[in-house]
Each structure stands twice: as C-alpha cells, then as structure tokens.
Amino acid sequence: MATEGPTPMERFIWGIIPENPVYRQLLGMCPTLAVTGSMKAGMTMAAAAAFVLICANVLVSLIRGLLKPHLRILVFVLTIATFVTIADRLLAAFMYDMSKELGPYIPLIIVNCLIISRCEVCSSKQGLAPSIFDALGQSLGFAVALASMATVRELLATGSWFGIPLFWEGTDGEAYRWVLMALPPGAFFTLGILLGVVNWLGEKFSRKGGQRAGQPETAEA
Amino acid sequence: MINYIKQGWLVLVLGLAFGAALGGVQVWLGPTIDANRLNETFGQVPKLVCGASAEVSLAKYRERLAETSGERASHVDVGDSKITVYDAYDAEENLVGYVVRGSGAGYGDTIIALIGLNRDASTITGVYVLSQKETPGLGSRIADSSWNSQYDGKATEPPLEVVKKAPAEPNDIQAISGATISSNALTNIVNGTVEDFRRALQASGSGTRKGGDHGD
C-alpha cells in the first residue's frame, strides 16, 4: 500500500480533464458509443455509473487492508456487480422508461473498465477521502464526455437536446433528419472527431503553458 | 483447507453480505417494478380495446391473481406453449375484449407487442409495441401510432398481409418504406398470436374463456 499518493483535490481535478476516462484513458467505450444517441440516455448512464463508481470506491477503500493481492480483482468485480444490480433495480423501479431504453447497458456497467481501473489505481491503495474525490472526479469526467458525445449526436440526428426540439419540430416518425448520427456509425464518427479535437486542444494548451505542474500518472489499465 | 479459508474468507463474507443486500433490494423494489410493468400494460388497455377501463381491468386482474395464487392469471395454453392474455373490462365490469401479448424476432431484437381484440376475437382493435430495437427512424416506426393504427379494425380472418404499395385488399398492411423486414415482423407476430389465441378461445368454448367468471 502506498503511504503517500495524490491528494483528494488532485484526484478530483485529474478525473475531469487531464485524466478524463473517455478522452484520456479511453475507458468505458461501450456506454460511450452505445447510449449517447440522446442526452437523456447518456445522462442516466452517467448517473448510474457514478453511483456504482462512488459506492465501489468507498467500499474497496474501506476494506483495502484486508485484500489479498491475488484475490483483489475478484473482490472488485463482486463489489461492482452488486452495486450495478442495485442501480439496475433502482432504475427499473423509479425510472421505468429509461430502464427500458437503456436495456442491457445498465447491467453492462459491471464490465466498464473505468470502474475496475479506479478500484485498482486509487481506492485499493488510498484512504477514504482521496477515493471519494477520485470517484467524484472520474464520474464527472465521464459525465462530461458522455454529454459532449450525446449533445453532438442528438443535435445532428434529431435537432433536439434532452428531447426538447431546438432547430425543427419532428413529427411522429419523421423526427430524424440525419439518422446516421443516431446509429452506431454516428457514434464512431463523433468519438473519433471529438478525440481528435480534445487531443489537439491538449497539445496546444501544453505547448503554450509549458509543462503542466503535477502531470498525472498514466493510467494503469 | 484452512489455508483456503484464510485466503478466501473475505470473498466468502462479501459474497454473503452482498447476497443479503441484493435480497433486501429485491424485497424492497420488486413490487414497485412489477407494478410498473403491469401499469405499462394496463395503461394501454383503453387504447387497444374500445371502451375498456384500465382501472377496472387491472382490478379484475389482481382479483384473479389472488384467486389463482399468482400462477396462471393471464396465461392461456396453446398446445405446448402459453400466451399471455389480459381481459379488458369496461367501467361496468363487462368483458369487452382481450389484450394479447405477442413476441417474435424483429430486424434488431425481439419485438414484443400488445394486440387488442374484440370480444369474439374477430377484429383487431389496436396494436401497441411494448419493446423493440429496430433501426431508429426506419424500423422503429412500427412503434409509432401513425403507422400501426393501420391494424385497427382489421378482421382477424384472413391473415394480414404486408404490401409495398397502397393497400388494396381489406387485409393489407402497407409496409414502412425502407423497413419491410420490421413491418413483416410485426405483422407476423400479430397474425401468429391472434391465430393462437383464436384457437385457444374456440377450444375453451363459445367465446367465454374462464367459464362464467365474467358475467354478461
């Protein structure tokens, strides 16, 4: 167990942009591609993933002293699977329509590498405070990434945002103007272009400001 | 053995604790989730069967659920398989029709549909798609009422047929352009389910399904 690690605040900040789960670590690609067809679906996914990530990080951090190195992954998966099932049941009980729309993608949070990588990188090595802030930062980063994808795709596909028509009124059955953006190819195009933009901006930023202080460690997963 | 327990006790303890937690969650939320499913189905009953009341149908369903101790309240045997049927009652508790649940393979995933039928199952009174994963903007239009209202008022005999041009025969359903497979899939589900249900209805005798449990 590392005695000194990044501080809670560093963990929090890193999760949002410098170590953004989607744009920097390229983790959690499945929901990023699959459920960003609309803002509603994307944000529900972000909230469910945040719930699981925070709960798993807290629990793993609390029991980190008891972990056996060769059984740790098993414990992580067990913990994550439990919280995912709880999240899935909660959605089915209180947001039934959303639960139907997201379908299998909620149970699939279990295999979202973002969460297991945070257990491995942070919460199994650090105390409660850094783990919570790490989970909050990464969740926020994930939400920002999903929101950016979903905004682009929903606007281009249906001209609406959060289901509110902005550019044109879709009539029954003719809500789609650029249906490709709502389909899987649209997800790949959007992700590729946004990744390029984020990398380009990052490069520009780091050239201008020189080496950033507190360059984050590279992700291990 | 002792070594295994030493190594694995945390996994065992966590497994038990998580299992108990999930059991608790299921006990807490299970009824709400079931109610959501039933409400979704019964919420469609008035739209699918003319004159039916969602509240009365649901109340009657719950009554029978209690009588049959939850087992087969809505199942009708068709040969080896079962189909799910919900009776539709009007506000005066008269049986006015049936809502039959049908499913089958679509272009994307399984399509699940509710099919409204009148009292003697001679006419389709409405179709509602409960769940589908067809191509957005094309096949997904099978769930739009602007398209699937075509089924309303169709006779159940002869079977419906999907056509690509404007419908000429009374049993023609016009395909969604660019989504013939989805249109065919839903129509096949409707035809197959209706046929099964009609057979079951005839087998149980003269249009009354559960001998006399609904007075006229």
Side-chain angles (χ1 to χ4, degrees), chain B residues 56-76:
Chain B
V56 177
S57 303
L58 183 56
K60 282 281 210 179
Y61 173 79
R62 288 237 160 88
E63 234 172 67
R64 211 169 50 247
L65 202 66
E67 279 170 22
T68 54
S69 62
E71 260 306 293
R72 299 154 52 84
S74 57
H75 290 306
V76 171

mmCIF file of all heavy atoms in Angstrom, chain B residues 56-76:
data_model
loop_
_atom_site.group_PDB
_atom_site.id
_atom_site.type_symbol
_atom_site.label_atom_id
_atom_site.label_comp_id
_atom_site.label_asym_id
_atom_site.label_seq_id
_atom_site.Cartn_x
_atom_site.Cartn_y
_atom_site.Cartn_z
ATOM 1 N N VAL B 56 -60.459 -0.829 -14.019
ATOM 2 C CA VAL B 56 -61.298 -1.997 -13.767
ATOM 3 C C VAL B 56 -60.588 -3.259 -14.234
ATOM 4 O O VAL B 56 -60.575 -4.279 -13.531
ATOM 5 C CB VAL B 56 -62.668 -1.839 -14.470
ATOM 6 C CG1 VAL B 56 -63.517 -3.078 -14.272
ATOM 7 C CG2 VAL B 56 -63.385 -0.603 -13.956
ATOM 8 N N SER B 57 -59.935 -3.190 -15.423
ATOM 9 C CA SER B 57 -59.238 -4.370 -15.931
ATOM 10 C C SER B 57 -58.128 -4.796 -14.991
ATOM 11 O O SER B 57 -57.945 -5.980 -14.724
ATOM 12 C CB SER B 57 -58.653 -4.076 -17.313
ATOM 13 O OG SER B 57 -59.667 -3.675 -18.196
ATOM 14 N N LEU B 58 -57.409 -3.801 -14.477
ATOM 15 C CA LEU B 58 -56.305 -4.107 -13.562
ATOM 16 C C LEU B 58 -56.834 -4.688 -12.259
ATOM 17 O O LEU B 58 -56.289 -5.659 -11.720
ATOM 18 C CB LEU B 58 -55.468 -2.850 -13.309
ATOM 19 C CG LEU B 58 -54.229 -3.004 -12.429
ATOM 20 C CD1 LEU B 58 -53.305 -4.077 -12.986
ATOM 21 C CD2 LEU B 58 -53.470 -1.691 -12.319
ATOM 22 N N ALA B 59 -57.939 -4.115 -11.782
ATOM 23 C CA ALA B 59 -58.519 -4.603 -10.529
ATOM 24 C C ALA B 59 -58.986 -6.053 -10.686
ATOM 25 O O ALA B 59 -58.723 -6.896 -9.817
ATOM 26 C CB ALA B 59 -59.684 -3.715 -10.116
ATOM 27 N N LYS B 60 -59.640 -6.328 -11.834
ATOM 28 C CA LYS B 60 -60.097 -7.690 -12.099
ATOM 29 C C LYS B 60 -58.924 -8.652 -12.205
ATOM 30 O O LYS B 60 -58.979 -9.789 -11.729
ATOM 31 C CB LYS B 60 -60.887 -7.710 -13.424
ATOM 32 C CG LYS B 60 -62.284 -7.174 -13.284
ATOM 33 C CD LYS B 60 -63.173 -8.246 -12.682
ATOM 34 C CE LYS B 60 -64.596 -8.104 -13.165
ATOM 35 N NZ LYS B 60 -65.445 -9.148 -12.595
ATOM 36 N N TYR B 61 -57.850 -8.165 -12.839
ATOM 37 C CA TYR B 61 -56.666 -8.996 -12.998
ATOM 38 C C TYR B 61 -56.076 -9.330 -11.631
ATOM 39 O O TYR B 61 -55.712 -10.464 -11.359
ATOM 40 C CB TYR B 61 -55.642 -8.264 -13.867
ATOM 41 C CG TYR B 61 -54.307 -8.961 -13.965
ATOM 42 C CD1 TYR B 61 -54.128 -10.034 -14.820
ATOM 43 C CD2 TYR B 61 -53.223 -8.543 -13.193
ATOM 44 C CE1 TYR B 61 -52.912 -10.674 -14.904
ATOM 45 C CE2 TYR B 61 -52.006 -9.176 -13.271
ATOM 46 C CZ TYR B 61 -51.852 -10.242 -14.129
ATOM 47 O OH TYR B 61 -50.648 -10.881 -14.207
ATOM 48 N N ARG B 62 -56.014 -8.331 -10.771
ATOM 49 C CA ARG B 62 -55.465 -8.540 -9.423
ATOM 50 C C ARG B 62 -56.330 -9.530 -8.649
ATOM 51 O O ARG B 62 -55.816 -10.382 -7.924
ATOM 52 C CB ARG B 62 -55.422 -7.199 -8.671
ATOM 53 C CG ARG B 62 -54.366 -6.264 -9.187
ATOM 54 C CD ARG B 62 -53.411 -5.845 -8.069
ATOM 55 N NE ARG B 62 -52.155 -5.357 -8.588
ATOM 56 C CZ ARG B 62 -51.911 -4.092 -8.920
ATOM 57 N NH1 ARG B 62 -52.854 -3.190 -8.762
ATOM 58 N NH2 ARG B 62 -50.736 -3.730 -9.382
ATOM 59 N N GLU B 63 -57.663 -9.401 -8.824
ATOM 60 C CA GLU B 63 -58.593 -10.299 -8.153
ATOM 61 C C GLU B 63 -58.281 -11.748 -8.528
ATOM 62 O O GLU B 63 -58.160 -12.616 -7.670
ATOM 63 C CB GLU B 63 -60.007 -9.984 -8.648
ATOM 64 C CG GLU B 63 -61.035 -9.676 -7.579
ATOM 65 C CD GLU B 63 -62.312 -9.193 -8.232
ATOM 66 O OE1 GLU B 63 -62.964 -10.005 -8.928
ATOM 67 O OE2 GLU B 63 -62.640 -7.994 -8.075
ATOM 68 N N ARG B 64 -58.156 -11.968 -9.852
ATOM 69 C CA ARG B 64 -57.936 -13.330 -10.315
ATOM 70 C C ARG B 64 -56.550 -13.812 -9.918
ATOM 71 O O ARG B 64 -56.337 -14.988 -9.643
ATOM 72 C CB ARG B 64 -58.116 -13.405 -11.824
ATOM 73 C CG ARG B 64 -58.637 -14.772 -12.240
ATOM 74 C CD ARG B 64 -59.092 -14.819 -13.671
ATOM 75 N NE ARG B 64 -58.117 -14.294 -14.586
ATOM 76 C CZ ARG B 64 -58.277 -13.188 -15.284
ATOM 77 N NH1 ARG B 64 -59.372 -12.485 -15.157
ATOM 78 N NH2 ARG B 64 -57.341 -12.782 -16.109
ATOM 79 N N LEU B 65 -55.606 -12.875 -9.876
ATOM 80 C CA LEU B 65 -54.252 -13.206 -9.439
ATOM 81 C C LEU B 65 -54.294 -13.756 -8.020
ATOM 82 O O LEU B 65 -53.626 -14.734 -7.688
ATOM 83 C CB LEU B 65 -53.382 -11.950 -9.492
ATOM 84 C CG LEU B 65 -51.880 -12.114 -9.586
ATOM 85 C CD1 LEU B 65 -51.505 -12.737 -10.914
ATOM 86 C CD2 LEU B 65 -51.210 -10.761 -9.446
ATOM 87 N N ALA B 66 -55.119 -13.140 -7.168
ATOM 88 C CA ALA B 66 -55.242 -13.593 -5.783
ATOM 89 C C ALA B 66 -55.919 -14.961 -5.729
ATOM 90 O O ALA B 66 -55.501 -15.851 -4.981
ATOM 91 C CB ALA B 66 -56.046 -12.574 -4.983
ATOM 92 N N GLU B 67 -56.968 -15.151 -6.570
ATOM 93 C CA GLU B 67 -57.692 -16.427 -6.575
ATOM 94 C C GLU B 67 -56.807 -17.590 -7.011
ATOM 95 O O GLU B 67 -56.858 -18.672 -6.439
ATOM 96 C CB GLU B 67 -58.873 -16.354 -7.563
ATOM 97 C CG GLU B 67 -60.097 -15.674 -7.010
ATOM 98 C CD GLU B 67 -61.108 -15.421 -8.115
ATOM 99 O OE1 GLU B 67 -61.056 -16.101 -9.159
ATOM 100 O OE2 GLU B 67 -61.950 -14.525 -7.931
ATOM 101 N N THR B 68 -55.998 -17.347 -8.062
ATOM 102 C CA THR B 68 -55.214 -18.450 -8.611
ATOM 103 C C THR B 68 -53.825 -18.496 -7.991
ATOM 104 O O THR B 68 -52.937 -19.127 -8.529
ATOM 105 C CB THR B 68 -55.087 -18.308 -10.135
ATOM 106 O OG1 THR B 68 -54.562 -17.006 -10.398
ATOM 107 C CG2 THR B 68 -56.400 -18.487 -10.825
ATOM 108 N N SER B 69 -53.665 -17.853 -6.878
ATOM 109 C CA SER B 69 -52.390 -17.745 -6.157
ATOM 110 C C SER B 69 -51.232 -17.404 -7.095
ATOM 111 O O SER B 69 -50.157 -17.979 -7.029
ATOM 112 C CB SER B 69 -52.088 -19.025 -5.358
ATOM 113 O OG SER B 69 -51.953 -20.121 -6.228
ATOM 114 N N GLY B 70 -51.516 -16.458 -7.977
ATOM 115 C CA GLY B 70 -50.450 -15.842 -8.751
ATOM 116 C C GLY B 70 -49.890 -16.645 -9.904
ATOM 117 O O GLY B 70 -49.056 -16.157 -10.649
ATOM 118 N N GLU B 71 -50.352 -17.861 -10.090
ATOM 119 C CA GLU B 71 -49.677 -18.711 -11.065
ATOM 120 C C GLU B 71 -50.052 -18.392 -12.504
ATOM 121 O O GLU B 71 -49.214 -17.982 -13.296
ATOM 122 C CB GLU B 71 -50.008 -20.188 -10.767
ATOM 123 C CG GLU B 71 -48.932 -20.918 -10.015
ATOM 124 C CD GLU B 71 -47.569 -20.820 -10.689
ATOM 125 O OE1 GLU B 71 -47.429 -21.395 -11.784
ATOM 126 O OE2 GLU B 71 -46.667 -20.178 -10.129
ATOM 127 N N ARG B 72 -51.322 -18.558 -12.839
ATOM 128 C CA ARG B 72 -51.689 -18.553 -14.245
ATOM 129 C C ARG B 72 -52.781 -17.543 -14.561
ATOM 130 O O ARG B 72 -53.600 -17.769 -15.438
ATOM 131 C CB ARG B 72 -52.163 -19.953 -14.639
ATOM 132 C CG ARG B 72 -51.119 -21.023 -14.470
ATOM 133 C CD ARG B 72 -51.781 -22.360 -14.255
ATOM 134 N NE ARG B 72 -52.770 -22.631 -15.297
ATOM 135 C CZ ARG B 72 -52.470 -23.150 -16.473
ATOM 136 N NH1 ARG B 72 -51.242 -23.456 -16.760
ATOM 137 N NH2 ARG B 72 -53.395 -23.371 -17.359
ATOM 138 N N ALA B 73 -52.703 -16.417 -13.868
ATOM 139 C CA ALA B 73 -53.790 -15.450 -14.006
ATOM 140 C C ALA B 73 -53.996 -15.014 -15.439
ATOM 141 O O ALA B 73 -55.103 -14.725 -15.855
ATOM 142 C CB ALA B 73 -53.512 -14.242 -13.143
ATOM 143 N N SER B 74 -52.925 -14.967 -16.212
ATOM 144 C CA SER B 74 -53.064 -14.369 -17.533
ATOM 145 C C SER B 74 -52.582 -15.311 -18.623
ATOM 146 O O SER B 74 -52.347 -14.887 -19.742
ATOM 147 C CB SER B 74 -52.276 -13.071 -17.586
ATOM 148 O OG SER B 74 -50.946 -13.340 -17.260
ATOM 149 N N HIS B 75 -52.418 -16.593 -18.287
ATOM 150 C CA HIS B 75 -51.885 -17.488 -19.307
ATOM 151 C C HIS B 75 -52.970 -18.346 -19.922
ATOM 152 O O HIS B 75 -53.858 -18.836 -19.247
ATOM 153 C CB HIS B 75 -50.811 -18.398 -18.721
ATOM 154 C CG HIS B 75 -49.578 -17.653 -18.377
ATOM 155 N ND1 HIS B 75 -48.917 -16.861 -19.274
ATOM 156 C CD2 HIS B 75 -48.887 -17.569 -17.225
ATOM 157 C CE1 HIS B 75 -47.877 -16.321 -18.702
ATOM 158 N NE2 HIS B 75 -47.834 -16.723 -17.446
ATOM 159 N N VAL B 76 -52.878 -18.506 -21.229
ATOM 160 C CA VAL B 76 -53.767 -19.417 -21.934
ATOM 161 C C VAL B 76 -52.872 -20.445 -22.602
ATOM 162 O O VAL B 76 -51.885 -20.100 -23.238
ATOM 163 C CB VAL B 76 -54.583 -18.652 -22.996
ATOM 164 C CG1 VAL B 76 -55.349 -19.628 -23.868
ATOM 165 C CG2 VAL B 76 -55.525 -17.681 -22.335
#
